[in-house]
Amino acid sequence: MISEDSAVVRPPVLRPGDAVALVSPSGPTSPERVARGVELLTGWGLRPVPAPNAYARHGYLAGTDDVRAADLNAAFADPEIRGVICTRGGYGVQRIVDAIDMAAVRRDPKVVAGFSDITALQFALWRGARLAGVHGPGAAWRDERTPLRSAESLHAALMTTGNVSVDAVPAEDTFAVRVPGRATGTLLGGNLCMIVASIGTPDLPDLTGAVLLVEDVQEPPYKVDRMLTQLRRAGALDGLAGVAVGQFTDCGDGWDTTIVDVLTERLGDLGVPVLGGLPIGHGPDQLTVPVGTSATLDTETGTLTVSPAVR
């Protein structure tokens, strides 16, 4: 078994009959886009409950800051709600994380699932409550991008208490990014843009001894270079145990330098194991992993193994 940090708060595993809140803390969505996610969750025996403002719209946000924060806090405070599943990412959760009722989160910890912009929410919950989370697809489900294997992966992370193992896939664009070795540490991170946007805030975690997860979408190589360089110059990568590289989807821009070149150059000299090719992120066949729990990265076997976010 992977060793576990005793300070980590792992919420109860979801069980058939549990109610789960569908919240939109970032960008807007619609009932039509969430319908497939509701169908999946219902099929697992869960009771999806859209938050009052789940389908609100305020420009590029899913409602005003007040209503998005209110939906999150209501879900955290309601004893009937046993999990929080974000509908999608987009943008906006950093605007409301300081309004989260962390006392309610600590009083009744619940599993929170999402990715992309939701990385900022998971960082805030880690800082404020040491709450482990689930980095995986949201309820605005798209079968063409997240087929059966993706659904099974999310189900396992939410509704079972076994370790989660993800294998590097040769077909992934980042598969060639590799620095040999084996590393164990708390898996932290997610979307690279949101990690960088957390620099200078209370929410950027101390990555000393951690395995850093990075993924992104529609960012050209020079911007990925810029973000990794900023993390390096800020000292955020000092003391890392390893780097798990997920999907960098649609990250080409016509230059001769590829995303693999940039990731290899900016991560390859950190002196830690690096494993690319993991189907975690915005690409097809996205898989789910816990974050905030202990992980082992092994480049020889090409696997990332993570202890569960739930108990």
Side-chain angles (χ1 to χ4, degrees):
M1 288 291 292
I2 296 172
S3 62
E4 193 65 65
D5 181 350
S6 60
V8 173
V9 175
R10 292 188 299 148
V13 65
L14 293 180
R15 304 181 185 278
D18 282 349
V20 292
L22 308 184
V23 298
S24 301
S26 301
T29 188
S30 66
E32 294 75 24
R33 287 200 59 190
V34 176
R36 176 59 177 142
V38 168
E39 182 182 29
L40 279 173
L41 295 169
T42 302
W44 298 344
L46 299 173
R47 294 186 290 119
V49 180
N53 302 287
Y55 306 121
R57 183 179 293 266
H58 182 69
Y60 44 74
L61 302 170
T64 63
D65 291 351
D66 287 346
V67 302
R68 286 180 291 116
D71 278 359
L72 267 179
N73 284 329
F76 289 137
D78 186 345
E80 291 297 313
I81 296 296
R82 304 317 310 150
V84 177
I85 299 178
C86 300
T87 60
R88 59 164 298 201
Y91 167 72
V93 78
Q94 273 198 324
R95 293 172 54 130
I96 62 171
V97 292
D98 295 323
I100 293 174
D101 182 354
M102 289 296 175
V105 176
R106 292 189 291 266
R107 188 166 54 245
D108 184 14
K110 301 166 186 183
V111 63
V112 177
F115 79 114
S116 195
D117 195 58
I118 306 306
T119 295
L121 173 59
Q122 291 171 334
F123 272 4
L125 294 171
W126 175 255
R127 181 257 304 167
R130 272 298 181 266
L131 185 70
V134 169
H135 181 288
W141 198 271
R142 294 168 49 207
D143 281 313
E144 63 273 20
R145 190 183 75 82
T146 44
L148 178 61
R149 184 165 179 243
S150 299
E152 291 173 341
S153 178
L154 180 61
H155 177 273
L158 293 173
M159 302 191 72
T160 71
T161 57
N163 289 344
V164 173
S165 186
V166 178
D167 296 328
V169 176
E172 289 288 347
D173 290 344
T174 63
F175 184 75
V177 181
R178 189 168 300 201
V179 176
R182 190 174 188 272
T184 296
T186 302
L187 186 68
L188 294 169
N191 181 255
L192 179 59
C193 276
M194 298 316 301
I195 297 169
V196 173
S198 298
I199 293 174
T201 76
D203 293 335
L204 181 69
D206 179 358
L207 297 174
T208 304
V211 176
L212 176 65
L213 172 65
V214 292
E215 62 83 25
D216 222 315
V217 61
Q218 294 180 341
E219 296 290 348
Y222 79 90
K223 288 190 177 181
V224 173
D225 184 327
R226 183 167 65 199
M227 288 188 282
L228 291 173
T229 300
Q230 185 176 359
L231 284 169
R232 291 170 64 116
R233 296 188 66 229
L237 305 186
D238 296 348
L240 273 181
V243 184
V245 180
Q247 297 167 318
F248 277 73
T249 306
D250 299 331
C251 286
D253 64 356
W255 292 92
D256 292 337
T257 302
T258 68
I259 195 67
V260 168
D261 295 331
V262 169
L263 292 169
T264 298
E265 180 187 359
R266 303 312 282 150
L267 299 174
D269 63 352
L270 294 176
V272 300
V274 179
L275 178 64
L278 298 168
I280 301 167
H282 287 74
D285 304 318
Q286 174 192 4
L287 299 185
T288 296
V289 290
V291 285
T293 62
S294 185
T296 295
L297 178 153
D298 190 328
T299 66
E300 183 174 348
T301 60
T303 58
L304 174 69
T305 305
V306 194
S307 61
V310 291
R311 57 175 172 81

